[in-house]
Amino acid sequence: MTNSSFSSIEDLNAALLSQNPFAKPPSVRADGIWGKEFFDVETINSHASDAVFQALAQIRAGQYPTTSIAITAQNATGKTHIISRIRHRLQEHGGGLFVYANKYGNISQIKQGFQRILAESLGNIGREGVRQWQELATAMANHALKIAQSKAKVFSTQQFLEKFKAGTPKQVNKWVKDLTRAFPQAKRVNDPDIVKAIFWTLSEEQSLYAIKWLEGQELAQYKANELELPSQCQSFEAVLQILDLISEYNELVICFDELDTPDAYDDVSGLHLSQIVAGLIKDLFQNLNRGLILSVMMPAQWSNRVKQLPGGVFNKVSAHGKPIDLKYMDAESIVKLVTFCLDEYYERKNLIPPEPIYPFSHIQLSELGKGKPTVGEVLKWCKDNCKAPISNVEKKDADISDPVEIAFIQELEADMGNYLDDNFLLADAILFGFQSLIGQTVERVTVQEATDKVTQRGRKDDYIHFKVIGKDNGNNVSIGVAVLQYAGGRGLGAGLRRLNDYAAFNLTRGCLVRSQSKKITSYLEQQYLIPLIKQQGGEYVPLKENEIKPLLAIRAVHQKREVDYAVSEEEIFNFIAKKGADKMLGASNPLLKEILSDPSYQIPTDLIEEEPVAVAESIMDDISNSEELDKSCENLLSEFN
């Protein structure tokens, strides 16, 4: 290539001056696991991902049904990146359904939490460009039809989805019911309702409700009646049946991440998150018929916590052998990484540099490699030494030097998933907001304590999430806060009943936090809400997305302060005190202020909704013998054809 083929140094420098190629945060965020774009130098730590794919190939070949692998590495070495590589390769080439766990909710109820993780993950897009649930439903439906008629046509997921979309509600109900009745002839099932819910995921109109039900969430009664399902299905037995169904048709890869959170301990057992998840992995390993379980953690978690658990739990966490260590970067891998990043950058800018690593030199990168840095350290060095300011669009963020603020912005921009339905996650963020206010007076209340140790008869309550304790003009204040985002009436009613019981929980005020778009039936209003608000001086506080997101973001920074961001708790509280007014944190957060403010004794009129009349249409007479079942399936086949 001649010199004239290269872009001019002036053009290259102008581009670097307009935008730093390494300005993007170096770590893969959790939302990047499910994202479409994924930039990967496949040779970096390929030994770890290759071990996973080799194990999957051996499972597929029938050498063994199940295994587990642990990866241990220090911060910023690429643990989450390896998981993302596995997920994207599975999506591109197939070879298994994928589950990603990184938010565990109430770790005292880890099994219920895993049901939600499992169902949410399977609700993401898989190999065929459809939800993974829909891939499973297609395999199950084809199996059922094949048993009914050996020469039955095999339908693709897209064909099923198009057929269900074109069908009337009555037809779709009939198909779901027919398939549910036919499926036990193909495979033994313990709970046909789970099978029915999986078939409902093929319906565009009902898919999200079916997935919510499979997560273990409670449906509104009218919706449960419409789908002909119980209002709720929350149990580890449901998880085991789902795993059994998946194993019939495909391998399953389950990845556990973010196990290093420093203060994640269970109040009852005293165990750390990594140990509780290790126990869950043991149970999953013993019940998974076909698949691989991967966990990533720092070496200290493995040695000091997981390996110390009794009963040889660690052997189930890493059944494949000793944990795989990720490698530090050397000169060769640094050159490959920098070349990869700059290739993508220069191609986007339509520029050709004289050297792929321009503006760096091989001497610089070789020298950097001598210190055995992590991937994150290399990318940070590149950002700091690229010697190019960021464009005007990014100038504001570029001027930020506070590491807490940088971390806060990163978490604020992250995709938080279906967080507005997660009572525990929301309550935990609000609780942390109040913990940042201890010693301060807000809305006349001097906050002395904020605690989640709310007990009844010696047991921690699952509905009143925390109490704010303080003084209001010299009077004792004890505000019990319940975040109740339930769609169904059972969980909401249980929470409201407790909020009304001031004596049992030693409260001076009960506070319901709930999105105003989530209606409450007139029955629950009369039974619980009116007594709470109008008679006992309790309060309803609407949950607003713009008010809760900053609290969720700063709580995430606090949880990841040591592992991902290298900041202290003191630095985080100083940031809240200094920047709270600008960032809607601390005493400037409207949600926190509203909880502390004097009760209004008012119930918003648009919060209350008359409960819909439940009309579950009878779609098909009971099938009482195999001849009628075969006929039903034949009719179903003819309808699809």
Side-chain angles (χ1 to χ4, degrees):
M1 188 177 286
T2 62
N3 288 342
S4 59
S5 301
F6 300 125
S7 302
S8 69
I9 295 299
E10 289 79 9
D11 287 345
L12 291 168
N13 288 343
L16 294 171
L17 283 167
S18 71
Q19 183 180 27
N20 189 323
F22 301 93
K24 188 177 179 181
S27 58
V28 176
R29 298 194 308 210
D31 55 327
I33 298 290
W34 298 107
K36 291 183 179 180
E37 288 190 350
F38 177 60
F39 301 105
D40 185 27
V41 182
E42 293 188 354
T43 55
I44 296 177
N45 283 318
S46 58
H47 68 290
S49 50
D50 287 349
V52 171
F53 289 113
Q54 184 181 27
L56 281 172
Q58 291 168 343
I59 291 170
R60 205 169 297 120
Q63 294 184 29
Y64 48 83
T66 309
T67 193
S68 58
I69 294 175
I71 292 176
T72 57
Q74 297 295 344
N75 294 342
T77 46
K79 297 188 292 293
T80 303
H81 188 95
I82 293 293
I83 293 176
S84 189
R85 178 185 294 167
I86 293 165
R87 140 75 182 159
H88 283 86
R89 199 176 297 180
L90 285 174
Q91 185 178 35
E92 185 177 353
H93 302 293
L97 300 185
F98 181 85
V99 171
Y100 177 63
N102 73 312
K103 293 179 180 177
Y104 301 96
N106 184 353
I107 60 175
S108 299
Q109 300 175 350
I110 191 72
K111 289 184 176 179
Q112 292 95 315
F114 183 73
Q115 182 178 351
R116 182 169 190 162
I117 289 166
L118 175 65
E120 280 188 352
S121 289
L122 294 177
N124 281 289
I125 302 301
R127 171 77 177 93
E128 300 177 36
V130 298
R131 297 182 192 276
Q132 295 185 99
W133 277 120
Q134 294 166 337
E135 292 181 35
L136 176 60
T138 297
M140 291 167 57
N142 279 321
H143 191 184
L145 296 174
K146 188 78 171 176
I147 293 297
Q149 189 180 105
S150 60
K151 295 182 180 180
K153 176 184 174 181
V154 175
F155 297 93
S156 70
T157 307
Q158 205 58 50
Q159 287 173 314
F160 272 121
L161 292 175
E162 289 171 3
K163 190 69 179 177
F164 273 64
K165 186 175 182 179
T168 65
K170 184 174 181 179
Q171 285 176 314
V172 171
N173 273 293
K174 182 179 186 302
W175 295 336
V176 168
K177 196 165 187 176
D178 286 355
L179 285 169
T180 303
R181 290 183 178 278
F183 186 74
Q185 302 299 310
K187 179 174 172 57
R188 182 179 163 286
V189 295
N190 295 323
D191 186 351
D193 287 327
I194 291 175
V195 172
K196 182 184 290 183
I198 294 173
F199 286 136
W200 272 120
T201 66
L202 293 169
S203 163
E204 182 179 331
E205 182 181 350
Q206 307 291 11
S207 179
L208 293 179
Y209 295 104
I211 293 172
K212 181 179 285 191
W213 187 88
L214 289 162
E215 289 174 8
Q217 293 196 57
E218 187 182 3
L219 296 181
Q221 191 59 53
Y222 82 93
K223 180 57 68 175
N225 291 344
E226 191 177 323
L227 301 183
E228 295 188 342
L229 293 169
S231 62
Q232 190 173 26
C233 174
Q234 187 180 66
S235 73
F236 196 58
E237 290 302 315
V239 169
L240 297 184
Q241 180 165 327
I242 292 167
L243 296 182
D244 182 54
L245 289 168
I246 293 170
S247 296
E248 182 75 21
Y249 307 103
N250 219 328
E251 290 77 37
L252 178 65
V253 179
I254 306 173
C255 297
F256 290 93
D257 195 6
E258 297 186 22
L259 302 178
D260 303 303
T261 304
D263 54 355
Y265 289 93
D266 176 35
D267 291 335
V268 178
S269 67
L271 294 175
H272 184 262
L273 168 64
S274 59
Q275 296 171 306
I276 291 173
V277 169
L280 173 64
I281 291 173
K282 173 178 174 287
D283 290 338
L284 293 173
F285 180 82
Q286 292 172 333
N287 288 281
L288 181 63
N289 297 329
R290 183 156 56 126
L292 181 148
I293 303 171
L294 176 69
S295 55
V296 299
M297 66 192 80
M298 293 177 67
Q301 296 291 352
W302 173 261
S303 301
N304 301 336
R305 288 185 171 136
V306 175
K307 207 168 180 184
Q308 304 308 314
L309 289 170
V313 170
F314 73 93
N315 287 321
K316 299 294 189 293
V317 178
S318 191
H320 205 63
K322 292 182 179 179
I324 299 171
D325 295 324
L326 298 187
K327 297 176 180 177
Y328 291 99
M329 303 287 282
D330 57 17
E332 182 182 357
S333 59
I334 290 173
V335 169
K336 287 181 179 178
L337 176 62
V338 172
T339 300
F340 180 87
C341 293
L342 288 171
D343 271 352
E344 190 273 334
Y345 173 79
Y346 286 131
E347 183 179 349
R348 196 170 68 245
K349 298 286 186 180
N350 293 315
L351 296 170
I352 303 174
E355 283 282 344
I357 59 172
Y358 183 85
F360 306 115
S361 70
H362 283 276
I363 295 175
Q364 282 178 299
L365 300 185
S366 295
E367 192 65 28
L368 179 61
K370 291 178 182 178
K372 297 187 180 300
T374 65
V375 175
E377 288 169 341
V378 169
L379 293 173
K380 185 177 185 304
W381 180 92
C382 290
K383 177 184 176 182
D384 294 342
N385 289 275
C386 197
K387 306 298 183 186
I390 303 174
S391 67
N392 292 334
V393 176
E394 300 177 80
K395 198 68 119 174
K396 183 178 179 182
D397 288 351
D399 293 338
I400 296 171
S401 59
D402 184 348
V404 177
E405 185 164 6
I406 293 170
F408 174 75
I409 291 171
Q410 183 171 334
E411 291 294 339
L412 198 61
E413 293 174 349
D415 180 5
M416 297 182 187
N418 300 325
Y419 67 92
L420 283 178
D421 287 328
D422 192 329
N423 295 329
F424 182 87
L425 181 71
L426 297 167
D428 183 61
I430 299 169
L431 170 62
F432 182 70
F434 280 114
Q435 288 170 338
S436 73
L437 292 177
I438 291 175
Q440 298 182 45
T441 300
V442 180
E443 297 291 326
R444 296 206 326 269
V445 176
T446 302
V447 180
Q448 298 174 324
E449 184 183 0
T451 177
D452 62 351
K453 292 177 174 54
V454 182
T455 59
Q456 185 181 34
R457 292 188 287 275
R459 293 188 59 186
K460 192 173 186 302
D461 190 72
D462 292 333
Y463 294 93
I464 298 183
H465 292 100
F466 62 89
K467 288 197 293 189
V468 180
I469 299 168
K471 295 278 189 181
D472 182 353
N473 288 330
N475 299 316
N476 290 329
V477 172
S478 179
I479 305 172
V481 180
V483 182
L484 304 176
Q485 292 286 82
Y486 301 103
R490 186 188 305 166
L492 179 58
L496 287 171
R497 185 167 63 250
R498 285 164 172 79
L499 278 178
N500 274 279
D501 196 345
Y502 285 17
F505 296 100
N506 193 25
L507 305 178
T508 60
R509 189 193 311 169
C511 177
L512 167 66
V513 178
R514 180 178 172 88
S515 298
Q516 199 156 329
S517 60
K518 292 182 178 292
K519 306 301 183 184
I520 296 176
T521 65
S522 57
Y523 170 79
L524 289 177
E525 178 197 26
Q526 296 294 325
Q527 193 76 11
Y528 300 115
L529 209 54
I530 288 176
L532 174 68
I533 293 175
K534 294 187 177 293
Q535 297 169 18
Q536 297 201 88
E539 189 165 13
Y540 161 71
V541 174
L543 182 71
K544 299 176 182 177
E545 190 169 2
N546 67 313
E547 296 175 0
I548 189 63
K549 277 198 81 170
L551 300 180
L552 287 163
I554 198 65
R555 175 55 173 154
V557 173
H558 183 260
Q559 289 175 319
K560 302 175 186 178
R561 63 190 183 277
E562 294 180 8
V563 178
D564 290 354
Y565 297 123
V567 296
S568 67
E569 187 171 73
E570 183 181 3
E571 288 176 304
I572 293 170
F573 284 136
N574 286 341
F575 169 73
I576 294 171
K578 182 180 177 182
K579 295 289 185 76
D582 295 334
K583 307 297 183 184
M584 212 182 289
L585 295 171
S588 297
N589 183 270
L591 176 58
L592 302 183
K593 292 172 67 176
E594 185 64 23
I595 291 171
L596 293 176
S597 67
D598 289 337
S600 64
Y601 293 90
Q602 298 298 314
I603 300 172
T605 54
D606 59 352
L607 180 66
I608 308 304
E609 178 180 73
E610 293 294 332
E611 192 161 14
V613 178
V615 180
E617 187 178 26
S618 176
I619 306 156
M620 176 180 171
D621 292 331
D622 289 337
I623 300 173
S624 57
N625 57 56
S626 60
E627 285 186 11
E628 288 176 313
L629 177 61
D630 290 341
K631 185 177 179 181
S632 172
C633 288
E634 286 172 12
N635 291 338
L636 188 61
L637 277 166
S638 66
E639 288 188 63
F640 284 153
N641 285 315

